Amino acid sequence: MSGEMRATNGELREKVAGLLAAGQVRVFLGYRAGRTPLRVRPHHVLGPEQADDLVWNEFCAPSLAKYLLDEQEDEGRVGVLVKACDLRATRRLVADRRLDRERVLLVGVACPGMVDARKVESLHPGPIVEAGVRDGKLVLQTSTGEVKELPREEYLLDRCLHCEDPNPRDVDLVVGPEVAPRPARTRDYAEVAEILAMPLAERAAYWDRQFSRCVRCFACRNVCPACSCRECCFDVWEPMWLSREVSVSEQYMFHFTRAFHVAGRCVDCGECERVCPVGIPLMKLNRALQKEIQELFGVERPWDPDEKEPLAMYAPGDPDFH
Amino acid sequence: MSLNAQSARATHGPAAGAANDPAAGAGWEPRIIGFCCNWCSYAGADLAGTSRLEYPPTIRVIRVPCSGRVNPQFIVRAFQKGADGVLVAGCHPGDCHYSTGNYFTRRRLQVARRFLEYLGIDPRRLRVTWVSASEGQKFADTVREMTEEIRALGPNRVMRDEP
């Protein structure tokens, strides 16, 4: 990791140990080293001595926001490390009245952009024993001792390329210095236009191919900050919206519903696509809905939790059918 | 399939059973599921009947308390189970029995219709229209138009359970 991030990591450990020692939080949610150098795991820090395992590096892509729902079941305040994109997720949960802002201590950290581990793994198969960023280069060391220097920008998560502001705002505590924003790519919805350019039959064939890989593990639903119903329609038996049958038809029901239930509420964090074990391009569904909502109802920033929910309101002058 | 089930299916009207199998080709008739709001469109459909207006027997009407009751999952389920088209009919904007139900419907289904199109379903297979209790003729015309349109499109295969 870069020197700056190492310093931030030290500051984070110190501050979190302090918070726990002073009893300001019951538990702190952060990251710890994962099974490979490209991965991190969530770390539930319960005491000051466990803060030493906290990690902050270029591979801390996962959003910890959804863990807050479980953690707030118990008494006391919950601390959590948030990047700017994770903040949109916590704001979504607060807007949905699923999270009590008063019971959360947000520790913000400026983010230089996160590396897409899956992209690295697919382009550089084989065991990697060390990984980090030095002078803007992604440096990998393989088990044979070979060292690869790669252009970091090409290995960032898609959401980082669209990042408007990498610095956390309105948090309770900040660790580390500010980061200069990179020029954010405009949202041109190119990936949506690509599908809209296909004839209908070809679109259906494309989605058939994508959806038929789905193993219905529900990871996309579980990680999504906009998907936080206390009772999910896929978990109830009556009505049974989703049978246990393996068929493409059932996959359409699942994916149509998942996307539609977050229409106008998706915060564009891309976590669903990141966690999908079979690589279904879920953001192509979410972005299509964003684009539609922008065009139909003139909602400028459908991914912003501060916008009123476009499907929970109406205007008498809304576009009519035919 | 048991004999009983077969004979039961045969009594389900002209558009059910083997004659409606797309593979059969010539005998194929569109199958339309119509969600009609209790306060306007269901009464409008009723008026079409009591006025002896002719319209194709391709529609199966399901009465809902308001067009706002129509969860987009209903539409997907209809396509799953073999519908070739779905009609949602509600009160005219401004005339909703519940004041604003159909305004929400309009937003929701505008998005749903485009989204289904994005997934490969021809938007003509989902029609949303406003039929008041006095518009029996409009209901009959809508069903006729929609039947013709879908007949030209042929059977829907997207999202459909394997027959």
Side-chain angles (χ1 to χ4, degrees), chain A residues 192 195 200 203-204 207 240-241 249-250 252-253 256-257 259-261 284-285 288-289 292 295 297 310 312-316 318-322, chain B residues 72-74 76-77 80 93 100 103-104 106-122 127-130 158-161:
Chain A
V192 176
I195 290 174
L200 284 172
R203 284 182 214 177
W207 290 115
M240 198 196 269
W241 280 113
S249 163
E250 294 291 320
Y252 270 96
M253 176 60 90
F256 172 91
T257 307
F260 209 88
H261 279 186
K284 284 188 185 175
L285 300 172
L289 287 161
E292 285 167 26
E295 288 171 2
F297 314 122
M313 55 184 285
Y314 66 88
D318 279 339
D320 211 332
F321 291 93
H322 22 265
Chain B
Q73 284 173 279
F74 293 0
V76 173
R77 178 52 56 89
Q80 272 189 313
T100 57
Y103 283 130
F104 290 105
R106 189 164 62 173
R107 268 207 177 193
R108 197 179 302 133
L109 296 188
Q110 283 277 16
V111 175
R113 193 158 172 260
R114 284 184 174 213
F115 193 48
L116 287 167
E117 190 179 358
Y118 185 71
L119 298 177
I121 288 217
D122 194 299
R127 191 183 273 238
V128 184
T129 191
W130 318 118
V158 185
M159 300 187 186
R160 189 167 163 177
D161 279 351

Side-chain angles (χ1 to χ4, degrees), chain A residues 163-195:
Chain A
C163 181
E164 293 170 306
D165 182 7
N167 298 296
R169 312 284 172 202
D170 307 319
V171 291
D172 303 310
L173 196 68
V174 175
V175 288
E178 287 222 339
V179 167
R182 73 165 53 74
R185 261 198 231 158
T186 48
R187 280 163 211 270
D188 53 1
Y189 296 110
E191 71 280 49
V192 176
E194 217 171 276
I195 290 174

Side-chain angles (χ1 to χ4, degrees), chain A residues 38-87:
Chain A
L38 298 173
R39 306 267 174 182
V40 293
R41 281 182 295 170
H43 184 19
H44 291 57
V45 188
L46 291 160
E49 67 288 348
Q50 294 174 355
D52 290 345
D53 295 332
L54 280 169
V55 159
W56 170 245
N57 60 29
E58 289 84 359
F59 306 104
C60 295
S63 158
L64 301 168
K66 209 67 186 285
Y67 290 101
L68 292 168
L69 296 187
D70 291 335
E71 289 303 329
Q72 69 171 359
E73 296 295 315
D74 294 323
E75 289 296 299
R77 209 168 176 201
V78 183
V80 61
L81 186 65
V82 281
K83 309 182 288 290
C85 48
D86 304 339
L87 264 173

